[in-house]
């Protein structure tokens, strides 16, 4: 897919300004939020120290290491901040990554009480519908936000989107354990990627990206699609109620249960083969 081109901090500053303007043009209700949310551009050098200094300023949690991530949102008692580790990002992807992080900011800022409930459930390791729903919804809403804030988006690699959708679906449901993170990105592609939308228009009866899925899981995936499309079919789609998040959580639980059952059946079958 060609050589990656890393960017300088000066480039990152220019792109960040462009991203802010593009979001404000598409989502006029978020102009104030976009303007007041700080974006910090960090290189790999001293990134952990600088990251934790920013976290301290807004009373967010610090870390012992910086995860292998391109960007993150810090949520503290005194505010929200975006951090972009720009030296880790391909130039072509920088704007999309930053728009994705602003998607997190939009959801968290508007649904802060619900976000804090989810965060408490995670801290207490509680298996709740809102926690499980957020495992899918958080990345889905952010990635959808990134797509919708872009103008004239296209893929420089013909056929890439279809291959990526297949890869994400396989990671999500075909490794015996359901993985919400790749499934969220699959759903965003399914509803927003221009190449996927063109393919769906041309072949309406084809389940894009689900070539390797078992027939038995397809009704669950279809129910999930139906829930998601209702939530995304509004101008302020980043706003979700607790009841709506629970509906997402129910679909996540069904997918987890299906993959868990499939794994156990496979283990029993392997054991049977060994004993016979």
């Amino acid at each position: 897919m060609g050589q990656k081109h890393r960017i300088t901090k000066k480039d990152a500053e220019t792109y960040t300004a462009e991203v802010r303007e593009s979001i404000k043009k598409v989502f006029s209700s978020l102009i104030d939020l976009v303007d007041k949310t700080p974006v910090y551009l960090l290189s790999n050098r001293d990134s952990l120290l600088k990251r934790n200094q920013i976290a301290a300023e807004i009373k967010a949690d610090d870390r012992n290491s910086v995860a292998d991530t391109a960007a993150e949102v810090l949520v503290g008692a005194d505010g929200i901040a975006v951090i972009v580790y720009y030296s880790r990002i391909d130039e072509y992807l920088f704007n999309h990554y930053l728009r994705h992080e602003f998607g997190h900011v939009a959801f968290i800022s508007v649904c802060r009480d619900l976000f804090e409930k989810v965060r408490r459930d995670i801290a207490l390791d509680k298996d709740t519908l809102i926690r499980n729903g957020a495992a899918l919804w958080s990345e889905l809403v952010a990635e959808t936000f990134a797509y919708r804030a872009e103008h004239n988006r296209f893929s420089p690699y013909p056929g890439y989107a279809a291959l990526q959708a297949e890869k994400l679906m396989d990671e999500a449901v075909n490794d015996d354990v359901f993985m919400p993170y790749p499934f969220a990105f699959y759903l965003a592609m399914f509803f927003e990627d221009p190449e996927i939308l063109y393919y769906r228009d041309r072949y309406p009866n084809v389940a894009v990206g689900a070539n390797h899925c078992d027939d038995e899981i397809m009704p669950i995936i279809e129910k999930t699609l139906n829930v998601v499309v209702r939530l995304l079919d509004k101008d302020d789609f980043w706003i979700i109620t607790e009841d709506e998040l629970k509906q997402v959580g129910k679909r996540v639980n069904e997918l987890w249960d299906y993959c868990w059952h499939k794994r156990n059946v496979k283990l029993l079958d392997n054991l049977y083969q060994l004993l016979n």
Side-chain angles (χ1 to χ4, degrees):
M1 290 170 58
Q3 184 178 2
K4 290 186 176 181
H5 300 281
R6 303 301 182 185
I7 62 176
T8 65
K9 187 170 186 178
K10 184 177 180 180
D11 290 333
E13 290 170 348
T14 299
Y15 295 150
T16 298
E18 292 174 355
V19 166
R20 287 186 189 274
E21 291 308 309
S22 69
I23 293 173
K24 290 190 290 185
K25 285 179 181 178
V26 176
F27 305 119
S28 58
S29 65
L30 298 177
I31 289 176
D32 289 343
L33 179 64
V34 172
D35 283 339
K36 76 179 184 182
T37 301
V39 176
Y40 297 91
L41 303 170
L42 304 186
S43 66
N44 283 331
R45 179 182 297 179
D46 296 330
S47 59
L48 178 61
L49 175 62
K50 293 176 181 176
R51 184 249 181 236
N52 284 342
Q53 287 173 344
I54 296 164
E57 289 175 7
I58 62 172
K59 297 181 182 177
D61 294 335
D62 61 4
R63 284 185 175 176
N64 295 322
S65 63
V66 173
D68 183 19
T69 185
E72 64 175 315
V73 173
L74 299 184
V75 183
D78 287 349
I80 297 175
V82 176
I83 294 182
V84 182
Y85 303 96
Y86 65 89
S87 57
R88 302 180 181 183
I89 305 177
D90 184 349
E91 183 176 20
Y92 166 67
L93 293 173
F94 182 93
N95 287 6
H96 187 84
Y97 277 32
L98 183 51
R99 291 186 182 105
H100 176 101
E101 297 308 317
F102 269 111
H104 283 303
V105 171
F107 161 58
I108 294 168
S109 298
V110 179
C111 304
R112 185 63 182 264
D113 289 344
L114 184 55
F115 171 79
E116 293 297 346
K117 283 186 178 182
V118 171
R119 190 151 68 165
R120 284 194 293 272
D121 286 349
I122 293 172
L124 297 172
D125 197 22
K126 294 175 66 176
D127 181 16
T128 64
L129 286 177
I130 61 169
R131 174 186 175 174
N132 297 343
L136 178 64
W137 176 253
S138 177
E139 294 303 325
L140 171 57
V141 71
E143 189 66 2
T144 300
F145 189 96
Y147 274 113
R148 294 191 186 179
E150 292 173 355
H151 299 283
N152 302 318
R153 188 178 193 276
F154 70 97
S155 171
Y157 315 112
Y160 172 76
L163 292 174
Q164 182 67 5
E166 190 73 55
K167 178 176 179 289
L168 289 168
M169 180 64 90
D170 284 344
E171 289 178 2
V173 303
N174 288 332
D175 287 332
D176 298 338
V177 178
F178 174 62
M179 303 295 288
Y181 187 86
F183 193 61
F185 280 81
Y186 166 81
L187 290 175
M189 292 191 74
F190 185 86
F191 288 116
E192 304 294 334
D193 189 280
E195 186 176 321
I196 298 297
L197 292 176
Y198 171 78
Y199 193 87
R200 287 175 56 202
D201 251 4
R202 191 170 181 183
Y203 306 104
N205 297 321
V206 175
V208 181
N211 295 0
H212 303 152
C213 290
D214 297 339
D215 290 342
E216 292 83 359
I217 200 175
M218 292 309 298
I220 307 175
I221 291 175
E222 289 173 5
K223 284 196 294 184
T224 306
L225 292 172
N226 290 335
V227 169
V228 167
V229 73
R230 289 197 300 270
L231 295 174
L232 297 180
D233 189 24
K234 53 185 179 180
D235 292 338
D236 53 356
F237 61 90
W238 52 87
I239 300 176
I240 189 170
T241 68
E242 185 167 340
D243 285 342
E244 289 170 336
L245 192 57
K246 286 179 179 178
Q247 289 299 314
V248 178
K250 289 177 182 177
R251 303 288 81 78
V252 168
N253 284 356
E254 287 181 0
L255 288 163
W256 258 321
D257 290 345
Y258 176 86
C259 292
W260 182 255
H261 174 74
K262 178 181 174 183
R263 174 182 179 273
N264 288 341
V265 169
K266 186 184 294 186
L267 289 173
L268 289 172
D269 185 58
N270 290 341
L271 180 60
Y272 177 82
Q273 295 296 329
L274 287 173
L275 296 175
N276 292 275

